[in-house]
Amino acid sequence: MNVAERLGLVNRPRRLRSSAAMRGLVRETRVNRDGLVQPLFIVDGKNIVQPISSMPGVSRLSVDAAVRECRELDDAGVKAVLLFGIPDFKDAIATSNYDPNGVVQRAASAIKDALPHMLVIADLCNCEYTDHGHCGIIGPDGDVDNDASVELLVKTALTYARAGIDCVAPSDMMDGRVGAIRQALDAEGFIKTTIMSYAAKYASGFYGPFREAADSTPSFGDRRTYQMDPANGREALREVALDIAEGADIVMVKPALAYMDLIRRVRDACDVPVACYNVSGEYAMVKAAAQRGWIEEERIVDEMLTGFARAGADIIITYFAKEYLKRNA
Ligand code: PBG
């Protein structure tokens, strides 16, 4: 008797792995190529391409350079960009954020003029615009004042919509901001401007390189009174439910890698599209290990993005979007 007979072996899962064609036939998950979003950092000035040392391959771009980059992204098959503004002028109340002539507003109009079909999403937050680096206005108690900060976000969201942005993505974690933004947009007739809310955004060490890129490290304290405690999962579902009730069209989980359980739980708990943000620290770790020859970058990236999709992400925001689409054309 051979082994199979002895064991009565009927089920052989390896049969379905026996060739590339067979594996393709039964593959359960594919990354949604139309759901990859490339973040871009926009600065004042002209013809500026300023590499970010902790994010190899990512640069801060002036508006003209961002338009050129968007043409390349378009050629690579990237359908959506997420804009972050890094203005020259910062103050305590984020004045540059709601400047109709601000970097994000100008970049959005220029990109939409050049490539009307490119979806332009704008991150909506104050931390890149305040001199203290917090996501809102500081109240008398030294903490970020929720309602005053929401007023600011609303003001800025309107300037974004007027500049032609397709989607605003509030990332500040103030309570009630989605409802306030929706109301203000609708009141001005921007009923088609979508809201993608950073619904479950954690106070995470994985944002380190971003804060170098955006020059937004808080000058005192940290973000733990507004961003979520990494230990909490149930609370994420509550945040998501509140944002949907307030009018969020898309909800996001951020970061992605250490929060895959939440991508799955959020996907199962609601019926709006779910995005995840493969953040700067996740990008930097892959790049750094690959540069040392410790991991195979392309394989790791494919595996990560597939993992996000398998966990339930419909939309993946990633600094790897362009490279991934070019390679998997
Ligand atoms: C703004 C914002 C941050 C990120 C996206 N929007 C930084 C933060 O909250 O400190 C992080 C993105 C990344 O790390 O790639 N509030």
Side-chain angles (χ1 to χ4, degrees):
M1 259 202 328
N2 65 24
V3 176
E5 285 165 345
R6 263 201 337 267
L7 298 175
L9 198 56
V10 177
N11 292 306
R12 290 181 182 273
R14 287 186 57 193
R15 280 189 201 110
L16 295 179
R17 298 175 207 141
S18 57
S19 67
M22 187 63 82
R23 291 190 291 275
L25 186 76
V26 300
R27 186 155 296 130
E28 297 177 33
T29 308
R30 277 180 183 79
V31 171
N32 173 15
R33 303 167 57 81
D34 296 335
L36 295 180
V37 180
Q38 179 81 45
L40 295 177
F41 298 102
I42 316 290
V43 290
D44 281 311
K46 229 184 139 17
N47 209 13
I48 292 174
V49 179
Q50 204 177 69
I52 299 158
S53 63
S54 55
M55 300 179 72
V58 180
S59 298
R60 297 160 154 174
L61 307 170
S62 51
V63 171
D64 54 320
V67 172
R68 286 195 292 278
E69 176 62 18
C70 283
R71 289 190 197 283
E72 283 187 29
L73 292 170
D74 188 43
D75 288 342
V78 175
K79 304 285 198 303
V81 290
L82 172 62
L83 306 183
F84 290 94
I86 308 155
D88 282 345
F89 177 73
K90 305 192 187 215
D91 61 13
I93 54 163
T95 309
S96 303
N97 206 1
Y98 52 84
D99 175 357
N101 240 333
V103 275
V104 165
Q105 291 85 344
R106 276 187 286 120
S109 326
I111 294 166
K112 277 295 187 186
D113 277 349
L115 299 158
H117 55 280
M118 178 71 78
L119 265 182
V120 178
I121 309 170
D123 183 272
L124 177 59
C125 194
N126 291 304
C127 63
E128 303 96 334
Y129 301 86
T130 50
D131 49 13
H132 47 67
H134 276 289
C135 299
I137 294 182
I138 305 296
D141 62 354
D143 192 10
V144 172
D145 178 333
N146 191 88
D147 300 9
S149 303
V150 169
E151 301 278 338
L152 265 187
L153 293 169
V154 166
K155 227 160 132 174
T156 301
L158 286 171
T159 66
Y160 285 180
R162 290 176 200 135
I165 271 157
D166 299 290
C167 173
V168 291
S171 68
D172 51 285
M173 288 302 279
M174 297 303 124
D175 296 327
R177 90 278 210 214
V178 172
I181 293 164
R182 183 72 272 158
Q183 215 173 49
L185 288 173
D186 289 354
E188 266 209 33
F190 293 113
I191 55 168
K192 291 188 189 163
T193 309
T194 307
I195 300 178
M196 174 164 73
S197 99
Y198 287 67
K201 175 172 176 179
Y202 288 87
S204 171
F206 285 98
Y207 310 146
F210 174 95
R211 291 184 189 168
E212 181 213 320
D215 188 17
S216 65
T217 307
S219 57
F220 61 90
D222 55 40
R223 303 211 202 288
R224 285 176 224 259
T225 68
Y226 42 105
Q227 297 181 348
M228 286 178 57
D229 183 336
N232 293 359
R234 253 188 342 251
E235 190 186 346
L237 301 185
R238 181 152 188 264
E239 283 281 7
V240 163
L242 286 170
D243 283 6
I244 294 174
E246 288 176 33
D249 301 287
I250 301 170
V251 291
M252 192 199 299
V253 173
K254 177 187 171 191
L257 270 185
Y259 299 84
M260 296 275 245
D261 56 326
L262 288 161
I263 299 173
R264 169 48 55 198
R265 286 171 75 181
V266 169
R267 178 60 293 159
D268 289 343
C270 71
D271 54 12
V272 301
V274 173
C276 72
Y277 198 140
N278 177 210
V279 299
S280 59
E282 299 168 357
Y283 177 85
M285 291 193 305
V286 171
K287 285 286 179 188
Q291 277 177 357
R292 293 183 168 210
W294 289 352
I295 57 168
E296 284 174 61
E297 177 173 334
E298 296 183 353
R299 215 177 141 182
I300 295 271
V301 172
D302 290 2
E303 198 172 324
M304 270 191 340
L305 300 195
T306 303
F308 300 144
R310 197 190 60 241
D314 306 292
I315 298 163
I316 301 172
I317 302 168
T318 177
Y319 302 96
F320 291 113
K322 181 184 179 185
E323 287 174 29
Y324 178 86
L325 288 173
K326 265 183 154 168
R327 183 151 46 77
N328 293 294

